[in-house]
Amino acid sequence: MLLSPAGSNASLPSSSFWSKLKPGGGKNAKEVDMRQQQQPQPQMALSRQRLLTLVYGDMETVRMLPNTFVELDALARDWAKPPPDAVFGLRVPIDYVHIQTARLVSGDFVYLTGQDSYEIATMGVPGLRVEIVSDAPPPPEEPPPPPPPPVLDMPATFNLELSPGQYVALDTTVSSDELDMARMEDGTTVDGMFWGKLMIVHDGDTHNMDFSGTRLLGEDVTPDLMVDQRVITKLAVAAKPSVAKCRLSLLAPDMQYCDVVLSCSPMWKLGITWPPAEPIGDGKFKYFLRVHPGGALEHFESEMVATAIYYEAMPEPSLLDPNEFVAPRNSFAMPFLDFMRHLMNVLDQLGMSVHARTDFINTHIHEFSQHKNIAYRFLSPGKIASAIDMSVTADPCVFTRLFLIFRGIPEDDMGIFSGAGEKEANMQNWREVVGWTEDSKDATTFRVLETSVLEI
């Protein structure tokens, strides 16, 4: 089938000669053009607003980028506020203009002198950085907001418990003539939850109220969980059990076997022992030893060799009253350093060698150093035996049992021991108190030396 161009006009343009051959073609074309002009044009997408960064010295501000240079100049002058006779100019670093524009600039800046240079600088960039060139002073900083008015009076309510089940509420007004009670001079706000001590005094014509406390920083800590640090310290001291630390040495003229039995009264009990003691019932503990000259001990049950036996004895808490056991009538008090020198002299009087008394001081100096002042006494052999009795299967045997009791004395209580100080302690005959005899130095006799320290 042969196709002719006259058979179809699909390949012909609409505005060709053939369209004019249609009936009324010229008139219809004019109407079509008018209708096309009347149809609404498609709206362009919303354009993104461009930002302007104005720079003057070390100060910067961000504004919306104006459409014209005149608006930019007015905006910059309104911000910098230069004097009328001051030099004032605008420039854009080439790093902030379009790359094509930067290629045409020989310097480091594009100086804005009119609308043409402004359009060149803003062409194709999402934002613009404009530097102000002027000899005017920099724009003033925005003044800080005025401080809030001072709080010179405010209501206060105190809910107090005078005794268990008896409550009272005090409603009052706290006032100040000129000082702000809401904030300090540096602006720190005085608020929050405080925990401390409230002192109310009504004495004759004197009526005042004084509160001293600390602000609670932890939001999860309530006053019900807060305890005075002084109370905590006293509770810690009260909760710590009193323990007598005892050291037992055996000095034999020759090698021999012996049993050592420790018998605790019902108010005392034995704690840790080394080498381990053998319990034999009724509060008694036994050691089976072989003693060598020079002080070496062989403990058969543990197969250990030592120079001394260590054990701890703990009294019932209700048994010891510090104010009774260590009191001015039976004890002496002095500062810590004076006590250390004094104790070395006392141990020397009680027949201990330099090595023995040095070892004694070094063992217990940590406990002594916890107190600024120390009151002490030595117990008599009868009092020691009533607490912890000792028997040794060696005959003859000389016992020297030194039991030191001490406690720390606060500075305020040192006046109680005004007649029982170091001077009076130097006059005390401790040999008579502890039952010391010259036989304790006899190397031909089986001797027992026990040193014990108890802090109450």
Side-chain angles (χ1 to χ4, degrees):
M1 179 178 178
L2 297 176
L3 298 178
S4 172
S8 173
N9 61 355
S11 60
L12 298 177
S14 60
S15 59
S16 64
F17 170 77
W18 299 102
S19 63
K20 297 181 180 180
L21 297 180
K22 294 180 181 180
K27 181 179 179 181
N28 293 338
K30 185 180 294 184
E31 293 178 356
V32 170
D33 293 340
M34 293 179 63
R35 290 180 179 179
Q36 290 178 353
Q37 293 177 2
Q38 293 177 357
Q39 290 181 357
Q41 298 295 328
Q43 295 183 357
M44 298 179 61
L46 294 176
S47 60
R48 186 177 62 179
Q49 295 291 342
R50 296 189 292 178
L51 298 179
L52 166 68
T53 303
L54 281 176
V55 182
Y56 190 16
D58 296 335
M59 304 181 63
E60 294 185 3
T61 183
V62 178
R63 308 292 175 85
M64 301 303 298
L65 184 65
N67 295 324
T68 63
F69 172 76
V70 176
E71 296 176 356
L72 172 65
D73 185 74
L75 180 63
R77 290 179 180 274
D78 179 70
W79 178 61
K81 294 179 175 59
D85 57 346
V87 177
F88 191 86
L90 303 175
R91 68 185 184 186
V92 179
I94 60 172
D95 295 335
Y96 294 91
V97 299
H98 196 274
I99 186 173
Q100 298 297 338
T101 303
R103 291 178 178 177
L104 302 177
V105 178
S106 59
D108 295 333
F109 301 95
V110 176
Y111 287 87
L112 306 180
T113 57
Q115 184 64 27
D116 294 340
S117 58
Y118 181 64
E119 292 181 357
I120 293 174
T122 58
M123 184 182 302
V125 293
L128 195 64
R129 181 183 178 91
V130 177
E131 297 180 356
I132 298 176
V133 182
S134 177
D135 57 357
E141 297 183 0
E142 296 183 2
V151 178
L152 301 180
D153 60 83
M154 57 183 178
T157 301
F158 298 90
N159 295 313
L160 309 176
E161 183 179 6
L162 300 181
S163 60
Q166 183 181 9
Y167 298 89
V168 63
L170 302 180
D171 294 329
T172 182
T173 300
V174 182
S175 61
S176 174
D177 294 335
E178 56 182 13
L179 297 179
D180 189 0
M181 294 185 293
R183 52 193 53 83
M184 301 174 61
E185 295 180 356
D186 58 356
T188 303
T189 304
V190 182
D191 63 354
M193 184 179 298
F194 291 79
W195 179 81
K197 180 180 69 174
L198 176 65
M199 177 72 70
I200 301 177
V201 177
H202 297 293
D203 185 9
D205 296 335
T206 303
H207 307 278
N208 57 53
M209 178 183 298
D210 180 42
F211 176 80
S212 59
T214 304
R215 182 163 63 178
L216 303 180
L217 300 180
E219 297 180 356
D220 298 334
V221 179
T222 62
D224 296 336
L225 300 178
M226 298 296 295
V227 181
D228 193 343
Q229 183 63 32
R230 293 168 296 182
V231 176
I232 290 292
T233 303
K234 293 180 179 179
L235 289 176
V237 174
K240 184 178 72 171
S242 297
V243 177
K245 299 178 180 180
C246 309
R247 182 173 177 176
L248 177 64
S249 301
L250 303 179
L251 303 174
D254 51 17
M255 192 256 313
Q256 65 182 90
Y257 295 88
C258 68
D259 291 330
V260 177
V261 178
L262 301 175
S263 303
C264 298
S265 67
M267 301 297 291
W268 289 73
K269 64 179 181 179
L270 221 60
I272 186 173
T273 61
W274 187 258
E278 177 188 358
I280 56 178
D282 297 332
K284 296 183 179 181
F285 297 85
K286 176 184 175 182
Y287 285 97
F288 177 55
L289 305 169
R290 179 162 60 187
V291 185
H292 294 266
L297 310 174
E298 289 186 66
H299 185 242
F300 292 99
E301 186 172 348
S302 62
E303 299 181 354
M304 297 291 297
V305 178
T307 58
I309 294 173
Y310 176 82
Y311 68 91
E312 294 181 353
M314 294 167 288
E316 288 291 330
S318 59
L319 177 64
L320 296 180
D321 183 1
N323 296 324
E324 291 294 331
F325 269 77
V326 180
R329 56 181 174 80
N330 56 21
S331 307
F332 304 93
M334 60 197 73
F336 164 70
L337 294 179
D338 296 339
F339 169 75
M340 298 301 295
R341 290 190 291 265
H342 171 76
L343 183 60
M344 286 288 285
N345 295 331
V346 172
L347 297 178
D348 184 24
Q349 296 175 15
L350 296 178
M352 294 184 65
S353 64
V354 175
H355 174 77
R357 58 179 182 262
T358 302
D359 185 59
F360 179 88
I361 293 294
N362 293 344
T363 302
H364 303 287
I365 189 171
H366 176 74
E367 304 164 39
F368 298 147
S369 63
Q370 302 303 309
H371 308 285
K372 188 176 181 180
N373 303 292
I374 295 176
Y376 84 101
R377 63 178 289 200
F378 282 98
L379 295 183
S380 62
K383 292 183 180 294
I384 300 175
S386 63
I388 302 175
D389 197 8
M390 180 188 303
S391 62
V392 179
T393 57
D395 189 28
C397 181
V398 178
F399 288 90
T400 303
R401 305 185 71 181
L402 306 180
F403 200 113
L404 174 67
I405 300 181
F406 79 96
R407 67 183 177 98
I409 304 297
E411 194 69 31
D412 298 338
D413 295 343
M414 283 297 290
I416 303 176
F417 290 84
S418 58
E422 183 180 4
K423 179 181 178 181
E424 291 77 13
N426 291 331
M427 300 172 59
Q428 177 72 17
N429 186 0
W430 287 116
R431 287 188 173 186
E432 182 180 351
V433 173
V434 302
W436 184 87
T437 62
E438 291 290 342
D439 293 337
S440 62
K441 292 184 176 181
D442 187 1
T444 62
T445 306
F446 192 97
R447 294 164 293 164
V448 175
L449 174 61
E450 182 188 45
T451 57
S452 304
V453 175
L454 173 63
E455 180 182 3
I456 59 175

